[in-house]
Structure formats: C-alpha cells, structure tokens
C-alpha cells in the first residue's frame, strides 16, 4: 500500500491499483476508478469532508 488511507465511504467499492501500486516518479501515476475532480467539487460545494459523505454519495463518482 502506498500510504493512502481509504475512507469508510469507499468500503465495498472495487479498488484499482490506485491504492495498491507503489508510486514511481518514472512512471505515469496509477489510474483511479473515481472522478476525483468531480468528487472534490462536490465536497467543496456541500462543505463536507471525505469522512462525512456516505457510500451512496461516492457511487455517483465512479467512472
């Protein structure tokens, strides 16, 4: 694991190597199955943190 702690709201969601693969400065970063930009915008718009949202809220951002 690369040190990224998975929040509770991601439990049960299929994980990609985004969480598992060791990050190398010589390779492209691993792909995530989440639209992280849209998720970030949602959190800012609703004034929430990642720990405060539910699993149902996260499901809308799966690619």
């Amino acid at each position: 694991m690369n040190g990224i702690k998975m929040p509770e709201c991601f439990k049960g969601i299929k994980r990609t190597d985004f969480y598992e693969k060791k990050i190398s400065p010589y390779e492209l970063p691993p792909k995530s199955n989440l639209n992280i930009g849209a998720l970030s915008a949602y959190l800012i718009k609703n004034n929430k943190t990642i720990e405060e949202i539910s699993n149902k809220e996260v499901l809308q951002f799966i690619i």
Side-chain angles (χ1 to χ4, degrees), residues 17-51:
D17 60 355
F18 180 74
Y19 283 101
E20 306 298 332
K21 187 175 180 184
K22 185 173 180 174
I23 295 173
S24 168
Y26 305 106
E27 299 176 2
L28 291 174
K31 298 283 185 189
S32 172
N33 62 336
L34 292 171
N35 185 339
I36 296 174
L39 176 58
S40 298
Y42 175 82
L43 293 172
I44 292 168
K45 180 180 174 187
N46 293 292
N47 198 25
K48 293 185 174 184
T49 65
I50 195 72
E51 291 83 17

Side-chain angles (χ1 to χ4, degrees), residues 2 14 16 31-32 42 47 50 53 55-56 58 62:
N2 63 13
K14 182 181 177 191
T16 62
K31 298 283 185 189
S32 172
Y42 175 82
N47 198 25
I50 195 72
I53 62 174
N55 188 275
K56 277 187 173 182
V58 171
I62 294 179

